[in-house]
Amino acid sequence: MNKYSDYLDYCKKIHDINMSIAVLNWDLETKMPKNGHKFRAQQISTLRKISHELSTNKSYGDLLNKLKNNNALDFDQLRNIDVSLKKYNKTLKYDANFIEKESNLISEAFVKWRLAKEKNDFSIFEKSLEQLIQLRIKECEILGYKNHPYDALLDQYEPDLTTHEVDKIFKEIKDFLIPFIKKISNAKEIDDSFFYQHYNQKKQWDFGIDLLKGMDYDFNSGRQDLSAHPFSTHFSNEDARVTTRIDENNLSEMIWSCVHEGGHALYEQGLLSKNYGLPLGESISLGIHESQSRLWENNVGRSMEYWKYNYNKLKKYFEKQLINVSVNDFYKACNKVKPSLIRTNADELTYHLHILIRYEIEKGLIESSIKVQDLPKIWNKKYQEYLGITVPSDSMGVLQDIHWSHGSFGYFPTYTIGSLYAAQFFTQALYENEKLYDEISTGNNNNLLKWLREKIHKHGKKYSAQDLCLKVTGEKLNFNFFKKYAINKYTSMYDL
Amino acid sequence: MNKYSDYLDYCKKIHDINMSIAVLNWDLETKMPKNGHKFRAQQISTLRKISHELSTNKSYGDLLNKLKNNNALDFDQLRNIDVSLKKYNKTLKYDANFIEKESNLISEAFVKWRLAKEKNDFSIFEKSLEQLIQLRIKECEILGYKNHPYDALLDQYEPDLTTHEVDKIFKEIKDFLIPFIKKISNAKEIDDSFFYQHYNQKKQWDFGIDLLKGMDYDFNSGRQDLSAHPFSTHFSNEDARVTTRIDENNLSEMIWSCVHEGGHALYEQGLLSKNYGLPLGESISLGIHESQSRLWENNVGRSMEYWKYNYNKLKKYFEKQLINVSVNDFYKACNKVKPSLIRTNADELTYHLHILIRYEIEKGLIESSIKVQDLPKIWNKKYQEYLGITVPSDSMGVLQDIHWSHGSFGYFPTYTIGSLYAAQFFTQALYENEKLYDEISTGNNNNLLKWLREKIHKHGKKYSAQDLCLKVTGEKLNFNFFKKYAINKYTSMYDL
């Protein structure tokens, strides 16, 4: 290997294997018969090992190091090399021992977490979690960091973002959201009870497909299926899929999962075929990915304009259930703010307090200022303090989420970062197209999608998240866009 | 690598990759959105190359050669090594040039075949087919053979079977079937017109699932989906899937594809988990595989006993369509013999004359006694001579099948071999369980499946096809079982 074309071939080969793993996982989550698990796990593990071997091959590293100083390459080519080399150097830091230990700890932790949650007994999970955190602390040392060990974890999900910056953002969130939500809690409660009538599964499914089509999600390059937990995945920009879950006694779950996962998939469909397998053909970061799902879910999907168009369609499916519900009632119910226990069901404001709590705890665990044994106590205290909620059991509190048992630390903040980017991008889109809301209210989302493709999707990893944000909106990530959006929307809705 | 356990690990690794390719192909045929083709082809090609590289690795070959003389290994272990070594030595014979040339020729031939069929113009396909045949002739030389070059091709699908033996079998088929079918053609024609009414797709689907459940096909270790061409595939014995196709104006297509593919899948489900990835965990040959699908399709599924039980269920789905059709009428229609143009729709007797024609032509092409340019003429002449059919166009004649454009030669005879094995196995099963037909007529197929599992499925490649047949039935493949079965069944049905 000594030419840029060798790099292209090699990089695409690794990508082909990773995308094959994604197909195996998609099948596992959506179609695989019950007994398929054991050998499927083995097949995925084998492909992962091959991918890892190729990714850490010395002659690949030599090639990257040689090419990074090649003046004959253009900006895009050098950026590909640059991102690949960063990834290569990072992957090299993990030895086989670490990978094996991690894999064993996670397997064990998952079993323990599930049991602990079932029995409502945190102590069952405690030791496993402690070991996982020690492993992550060790990982921070392996990877290296400038100021805070948590930087090293963050960088895996949101490259270049620092704990210092996240601290600043969550300080702003705290200062604004806690009193704002308190104010809303004191206002008249919105009635959303009509969401919880019986809604036929097949009709819900059909309406969800309508919503995806309305977003210009391309069913020739994607599909939707059912799965236990909604997700989006992709095997190329020409095959980017979504899944949803349907609860016959709760209409909202299907709606928001369709629009949310649809937003993720539109990003993948908007990447360029010619960059398949290369950094320029990949999304930038989890935060930017989440910005695309949140933009469609919240800024578009929870807007009055969106339902001006879609509510009549919905009413045709569920005439009986919605007969006495006006579009304004519906819009309000979509945006009802109410502190609750479970993150995944939270509204778009209280959601960030859930993330805040997790972020503060994760940081404390990684810097060893919080002890695992104190977690339930700390969790419950923060829920009381930030959300005014009394946690009735650890199962519904500190044990509710699967993430920590999977060993995922540093991931949660990207959920919030994504929402902030979403508000900032959407503000810019409105600024550049004064008819945008009019278009949305007639079911025409095409100009919005074109804008997202042109400004964000097509670039892949050409720019860092922060540089892209600067390029698109004229400034770096700024909490004020979200704040302004929230004040505008909720002040009038709740007559604050 | 120097131990048997190294062999196990290595062999399973290759198998994991091959099974991953199978998942990618299943998805491609059943779920993949239209635009997914380009990158999916690339992903499959990458995994294939990796699998090929591993399969031809020199140190793997050295290990196999070392282990084949290891006295510490037991019969099963030595058989695994033996089969793996045979495969290894065969794979080694293909150099990269051959593989690339083959792949290019097949891609081109497929396009040309499709166009030729569409335009009803054989000359469009002629040159590509000629090149493919020259390649296969070269392949026969590469692989080596004892008596006839076609032996080398046969061996890839039906190991150890020789052209000499196939000649003998088809001579018997010719001598028996041609006059027998002529006799049937002169008898009173059976009315099967009720098959071609309108049958609702969803109800057909549900009945097909009932049939699979009735065969004890395990839906916890498999599933059924729709695809353009029905097939079965597997990713382990615990995930063996089938597909079907439903024509709303032809009930029979769905029924026979469900039962046929179900039979294939039962074989895969009956292999042993502990042998996953090893020769002992794989089916013996295409002929034995086909024997399992044919046994269920013809010997069970086209029996009076089978419909004694299932016809009442079917009538509940399609009361209106079947109101005037007795179970005896239905049974007869399922077994209607009538020479026709298209192999895939043929009945269980004329089917073998289609195969006979292809076999004679393939052999002639490989030994260069038939020229490609003469194919349409020869094809039509044989259809007239053996089936009494005048072929109206090359599209419905020599161009009807995709196989040759895929470069598959040596494959067709296994279809017939499979039916003969099926008749022989089923005769033995009846002999060993005198209540078998009674059981089938009450919907109980469990003892039959147990017998097949015990006698055939669980062994994998432990024995060669012929040795297994000898072990199970006391003699080698013998055409008389099929002949007797056919005479018994059709003499009374047609009052011959």
Side-chain angles (χ1 to χ4, degrees):
Chain A
M1 290 199 284
N2 58 24
K3 296 191 307 288
Y4 187 76
S5 64
D6 293 334
Y7 158 75
L8 289 181
D9 291 344
Y10 197 82
C11 206
K12 285 177 187 177
K13 182 176 172 183
I14 296 174
H15 193 68
D16 282 335
I17 300 166
N18 293 339
M19 292 301 97
S20 300
I21 294 169
V23 176
L24 268 61
N25 273 318
W26 174 85
D27 179 79
L28 182 152
E29 298 280 351
T30 59
K31 307 292 175 191
M32 194 179 72
K34 206 175 103 188
N35 295 343
H37 268 283
K38 184 176 58 191
F39 292 118
R40 177 58 53 84
Q42 191 175 314
Q43 290 150 2
I44 290 173
S45 158
T46 291
L47 292 189
R48 278 215 187 109
K49 271 184 216 147
I50 294 172
S51 169
H52 184 80
E53 279 162 24
L54 290 171
S55 301
T56 54
N57 181 313
K58 191 174 171 307
S59 57
Y60 176 50
D62 292 346
L63 175 68
L64 291 172
N65 277 304
K66 194 177 138 195
L67 288 174
K68 79 171 173 179
N69 299 316
N70 187 332
N71 291 327
L73 299 181
D74 65 22
F75 178 85
D76 285 8
Q77 291 172 323
L78 286 171
R79 173 74 182 163
N80 278 330
I81 296 294
D82 200 42
V83 177
S84 292
L85 184 57
K86 186 181 169 196
K87 197 170 167 188
Y88 174 80
N89 286 328
K90 191 172 258 183
T91 313
L92 269 196
K93 294 182 178 176
Y94 296 94
D95 63 17
N97 270 347
F98 183 93
I99 302 275
E100 199 186 333
K101 193 173 171 192
E102 181 183 38
S103 159
N104 292 337
L105 279 181
I106 289 172
S107 298
E108 196 190 310
F110 173 69
V111 174
K112 293 283 170 68
W113 167 75
R114 205 168 46 184
L115 192 68
K117 184 172 166 149
E118 200 184 299
K119 304 225 174 223
N120 190 34
D121 181 355
F122 181 75
S123 72
I124 296 172
F125 181 45
E126 199 180 308
K127 202 183 138 209
S128 278
L129 183 57
E130 176 61 37
Q131 290 173 319
L132 265 178
I133 287 160
Q134 288 313 315
L135 187 86
R136 287 286 168 255
I137 291 173
K138 197 181 150 198
E139 189 177 12
C140 296
E141 299 307 321
I142 291 172
L143 291 171
Y145 53 85
K146 270 193 187 152
N147 297 306
H148 194 287
Y150 195 75
D151 287 354
L153 300 179
L154 260 180
D155 190 63
Q156 296 183 296
Y157 304 110
E158 196 62 30
D160 310 320
L161 189 68
T162 64
T163 310
H164 179 71
E165 287 164 305
V166 178
D167 278 342
K168 237 184 79 195
I169 289 165
F170 276 113
K171 167 84 170 54
E172 292 180 302
I173 286 178
K174 222 163 154 172
D175 290 347
F176 165 64
L177 272 184
I178 293 179
F180 191 61
I181 289 169
K182 208 161 276 171
K183 227 158 120 185
I184 291 175
S185 299
N186 292 330
K188 186 166 176 276
E189 194 176 328
I190 288 169
D191 177 18
D192 64 348
S193 58
F194 57 84
F195 270 130
Y196 308 99
Q197 301 168 85
H198 185 265
Y199 291 87
N200 171 275
Q201 155 138 9
K202 172 76 172 65
K203 286 187 189 177
Q204 281 202 53
W205 173 265
D206 289 345
F207 181 65
I209 298 290
D210 287 350
L211 289 180
L212 285 167
K213 284 182 181 161
M215 294 162 70
D216 288 334
Y217 173 75
D218 182 358
F219 276 94
N220 286 324
S221 299
R223 54 177 287 127
Q224 174 156 276
D225 292 86
L226 292 173
S227 68
H229 299 281
F231 66 95
S232 66
T233 184
H234 62 276
F235 319 131
S236 70
N237 64 324
E238 294 173 2
D239 191 352
R241 306 183 185 183
V242 293
T243 74
T244 189
R245 177 168 59 188
I246 296 179
D247 178 346
E248 289 212 316
N249 301 308
N250 179 359
L251 176 64
S252 61
E253 186 155 353
M254 179 282 297
I255 292 176
W256 305 122
S257 80
C258 281
V259 181
H260 180 96
E261 303 305 340
H264 278 302
L266 286 176
Y267 186 6
E268 293 297 333
Q269 290 186 339
L271 291 161
L272 302 184
S273 294
K274 67 170 182 177
N275 290 326
Y276 170 88
L278 304 171
L280 260 63
E282 280 173 9
S283 59
I284 301 175
S285 67
L286 285 189
I288 297 294
H289 226 306
E290 193 70 7
S291 80
Q292 299 306 293
S293 56
R294 288 291 173 186
L295 184 146
W296 286 96
E297 181 188 351
N298 293 334
N299 306 88
V300 178
R302 285 194 164 92
S303 72
M304 185 64 190
E305 289 75 12
Y306 189 72
W307 290 106
K308 264 188 194 159
Y309 178 76
N310 287 296
Y311 190 57
N312 284 332
K313 295 181 97 175
L314 179 64
K315 269 195 136 168
K316 281 187 190 137
Y317 284 102
F318 300 109
E319 213 177 343
K320 219 181 67 191
Q321 289 89 334
L322 299 173
I323 192 156
N324 291 319
V325 182
S326 71
V327 62
N328 197 43
D329 294 340
F330 189 82
Y331 162 68
K332 279 178 154 180
C334 290
N335 288 287
K336 176 176 179 171
V337 175
K338 191 171 185 185
S340 64
L341 276 167
I342 307 295
R343 175 185 65 90
T344 54
N345 303 331
D347 58 82
E348 68 170 323
L349 296 188
T350 61
Y351 186 83
H352 298 293
L353 300 186
H354 291 267
I355 301 300
L356 164 69
I357 292 170
R358 283 162 168 81
Y359 171 62
E360 290 183 349
I361 290 177
E362 284 194 358
K363 216 180 84 175
L365 289 166
I366 295 301
E367 69 188 24
S368 302
S369 64
I370 291 179
K371 284 186 193 132
V372 171
Q373 68 192 67
D374 299 331
L375 267 187
K377 203 179 62 193
I378 293 170
W379 180 282
N380 298 352
K381 190 164 161 274
K382 285 184 190 282
Y383 262 73
Q384 195 69 60
E385 189 183 337
Y386 298 161
L387 282 150
I389 289 261
T390 306
V391 178
S393 71
D394 290 344
S395 293
M396 299 180 80
V398 68
L399 291 170
Q400 70 178 257
D401 255 300
I402 200 173
H403 286 69
W404 288 340
S405 86
H406 276 171
S408 300
F409 292 86
Y411 181 104
F412 279 121
T414 67
Y415 285 135
T416 283
I417 299 295
S419 296
L420 306 191
Y421 274 129
Q424 191 161 341
F425 290 145
F426 194 68
T427 304
Q428 184 66 25
L430 284 171
Y431 175 76
E432 292 184 29
N433 175 5
E434 55 184 23
K435 290 186 189 153
L436 185 55
Y437 268 140
D438 292 341
E439 290 172 5
I440 292 173
S441 69
T442 60
N444 172 11
N445 300 307
N446 194 257
N447 281 328
L448 173 61
L449 181 57
K450 262 192 208 155
W451 187 86
L452 292 168
R453 290 220 159 125
E454 194 54 38
K455 299 284 178 175
I456 299 166
H457 302 175
K458 77 168 192 187
H459 301 302
K461 282 195 200 303
K462 183 163 181 170
Y463 312 106
S464 72
Q466 309 225 26
D467 285 352
L468 182 87
C469 184
L470 182 65
K471 230 177 114 70
V472 174
T473 70
E475 54 184 304
K476 289 202 164 185
L477 183 63
N478 181 340
F479 175 69
N480 286 324
F481 291 98
F482 180 82
K483 185 172 172 180
K484 203 169 160 187
Y485 158 78
I487 292 173
N488 268 347
K489 184 169 175 176
Y490 291 95
T491 302
S492 66
M493 195 185 311
Y494 275 98
D495 287 326
L496 300 180
Chain B
M1 291 200 285
N2 58 23
K3 296 192 307 288
Y4 187 76
S5 64
D6 294 333
Y7 158 75
L8 290 180
D9 291 343
Y10 198 82
C11 207
K12 285 177 187 178
K13 181 176 171 182
I14 297 173
H15 193 69
D16 282 335
I17 301 166
N18 293 339
M19 292 300 97
S20 300
I21 294 169
V23 177
L24 268 60
N25 273 317
W26 173 86
D27 180 79
L28 183 153
E29 299 280 352
T30 59
K31 307 292 175 191
M32 194 179 71
K34 207 175 104 190
N35 295 343
H37 268 283
K38 183 176 56 188
F39 293 118
R40 178 58 52 85
Q42 191 175 315
Q43 290 150 1
I44 290 172
S45 158
T46 291
L47 292 190
R48 278 215 185 109
K49 271 183 216 149
I50 294 172
S51 168
H52 184 80
E53 279 162 22
L54 290 171
S55 302
T56 52
N57 182 313
K58 191 175 171 306
S59 58
Y60 175 49
D62 292 345
L63 174 68
L64 291 171
N65 276 304
K66 194 177 139 194
L67 288 174
K68 80 171 173 181
N69 298 317
N70 186 333
N71 291 327
L73 300 181
D74 66 21
F75 178 86
D76 285 7
Q77 291 172 323
L78 286 171
R79 174 73 182 164
N80 277 330
I81 297 294
D82 200 41
V83 176
S84 291
L85 185 57
K86 187 182 169 195
K87 196 170 167 189
Y88 174 79
N89 285 328
K90 192 172 256 185
T91 313
L92 268 196
K93 293 182 178 174
Y94 296 95
D95 63 17
N97 271 347
F98 183 93
I99 303 275
E100 199 185 333
K101 193 174 172 192
E102 182 184 38
S103 159
N104 291 338
L105 279 181
I106 289 172
S107 298
E108 196 190 311
F110 173 69
V111 174
K112 292 283 169 68
W113 166 76
R114 203 168 47 183
L115 191 68
K117 185 173 165 150
E118 200 183 299
K119 303 224 175 225
N120 190 33
D121 181 354
F122 181 75
S123 72
I124 295 172
F125 182 44
E126 199 179 310
K127 203 183 137 208
S128 278
L129 183 57
E130 176 61 36
Q131 290 174 320
L132 266 178
I133 287 161
Q134 287 313 315
L135 187 87
R136 286 287 169 255
I137 290 173
K138 197 181 150 197
E139 189 177 13
C140 296
E141 298 308 321
I142 291 172
L143 291 171
Y145 53 86
K146 269 194 187 152
N147 297 306
H148 193 286
Y150 195 75
D151 287 354
L153 301 179
L154 261 180
D155 190 62
Q156 297 184 296
Y157 304 111
E158 196 62 29
D160 309 321
L161 189 69
T162 64
T163 311
H164 180 70
E165 287 165 304
V166 178
D167 278 342
K168 237 184 78 195
I169 288 165
F170 276 114
K171 168 82 169 59
E172 292 180 302
I173 285 178
K174 222 162 152 172
D175 289 348
F176 165 63
L177 272 184
I178 293 178
F180 191 62
I181 289 170
K182 207 160 275 170
K183 228 159 123 187
I184 291 176
S185 299
N186 292 330
K188 185 164 178 276
E189 193 176 327
I190 287 170
D191 177 18
D192 65 348
S193 59
F194 57 84
F195 270 130
Y196 308 99
Q197 301 168 86
H198 185 266
Y199 290 88
N200 172 275
Q201 154 138 12
K202 172 75 173 65
K203 287 187 189 176
Q204 281 202 52
W205 173 265
D206 289 344
F207 181 65
I209 298 290
D210 287 350
L211 289 180
L212 285 167
K213 284 182 182 162
M215 294 162 71
D216 288 333
Y217 172 75
D218 181 357
F219 276 95
N220 286 324
S221 298
R223 52 177 288 127
Q224 174 156 275
D225 292 86
L226 292 173
S227 68
H229 300 280
F231 67 95
S232 66
T233 184
H234 62 277
F235 319 131
S236 70
N237 64 324
E238 294 174 2
D239 191 352
R241 305 184 185 182
V242 293
T243 73
T244 189
R245 177 169 58 189
I246 296 179
D247 178 347
E248 289 212 314
N249 301 308
N250 179 1
L251 176 63
S252 61
E253 186 154 355
M254 179 281 298
I255 292 176
W256 305 122
S257 79
C258 281
V259 182
H260 180 97
E261 302 306 340
H264 278 304
L266 286 177
Y267 186 6
E268 293 297 333
Q269 290 186 339
L271 291 161
L272 302 185
S273 294
K274 67 171 183 177
N275 291 326
Y276 171 88
L278 304 171
L280 260 63
E282 279 172 10
S283 59
I284 301 176
S285 67
L286 285 190
I288 297 294
H289 226 305
E290 194 71 7
S291 80
Q292 298 306 293
S293 56
R294 289 291 173 185
L295 183 146
W296 286 96
E297 181 188 350
N298 293 334
N299 306 89
V300 177
R302 284 193 165 92
S303 72
M304 185 63 189
E305 288 75 12
Y306 189 71
W307 289 106
K308 265 188 195 159
Y309 179 76
N310 287 295
Y311 191 57
N312 284 334
K313 295 181 96 176
L314 179 64
K315 269 196 139 170
K316 281 187 192 140
Y317 284 103
F318 300 110
E319 213 178 341
K320 219 182 70 193
Q321 288 89 335
L322 299 172
I323 191 157
N324 291 318
V325 182
S326 72
V327 63
N328 197 43
D329 294 340
F330 188 83
Y331 162 68
K332 280 179 154 180
C334 290
N335 289 287
K336 176 176 180 172
V337 175
K338 192 173 185 186
S340 65
L341 274 167
I342 307 295
R343 175 185 65 90
T344 53
N345 303 331
D347 58 82
E348 68 169 324
L349 296 188
T350 61
Y351 186 83
H352 299 292
L353 300 187
H354 291 268
I355 301 300
L356 164 69
I357 291 169
R358 282 162 170 82
Y359 171 62
E360 290 183 349
I361 289 176
E362 283 194 358
K363 215 181 83 176
L365 289 167
I366 295 301
E367 69 188 21
S368 303
S369 64
I370 290 179
K371 284 186 193 133
V372 171
Q373 69 192 66
D374 298 330
L375 266 187
K377 205 179 62 194
I378 293 170
W379 180 282
N380 298 352
K381 191 166 159 271
K382 285 185 189 283
Y383 262 74
Q384 194 69 58
E385 189 182 337
Y386 298 162
L387 281 151
I389 288 262
T390 305
V391 178
S393 71
D394 290 345
S395 293
M396 299 180 79
V398 67
L399 291 169
Q400 70 179 257
D401 254 300
I402 200 174
H403 286 69
W404 288 339
S405 86
H406 276 171
S408 301
F409 293 86
Y411 182 104
F412 278 120
T414 66
Y415 284 135
T416 283
I417 299 295
S419 296
L420 306 190
Y421 274 128
Q424 190 160 341
F425 290 145
F426 194 67
T427 305
Q428 184 66 26
L430 284 171
Y431 175 76
E432 292 184 30
N433 175 5
E434 54 184 24
K435 290 187 187 154
L436 185 56
Y437 267 139
D438 291 342
E439 290 172 3
I440 292 173
S441 70
T442 59
N444 173 10
N445 299 308
N446 194 257
N447 281 329
L448 174 60
L449 181 57
K450 264 193 207 152
W451 188 85
L452 291 169
R453 291 220 158 125
E454 195 53 38
K455 300 282 178 176
I456 299 165
H457 303 174
K458 76 168 192 187
H459 300 302
K461 282 194 199 306
K462 183 163 181 169
Y463 312 107
S464 72
Q466 308 223 26
D467 285 352
L468 181 87
C469 184
L470 182 65
K471 228 176 116 69
V472 175
T473 70
E475 53 183 307
K476 289 202 165 188
L477 183 63
N478 181 340
F479 175 69
N480 286 325
F481 291 97
F482 180 82
K483 185 173 172 179
K484 204 168 161 188
Y485 159 77
I487 291 173
N488 268 347
K489 183 168 177 176
Y490 291 96
T491 302
S492 67
M493 195 184 312
Y494 275 98
D495 287 327
L496 300 181

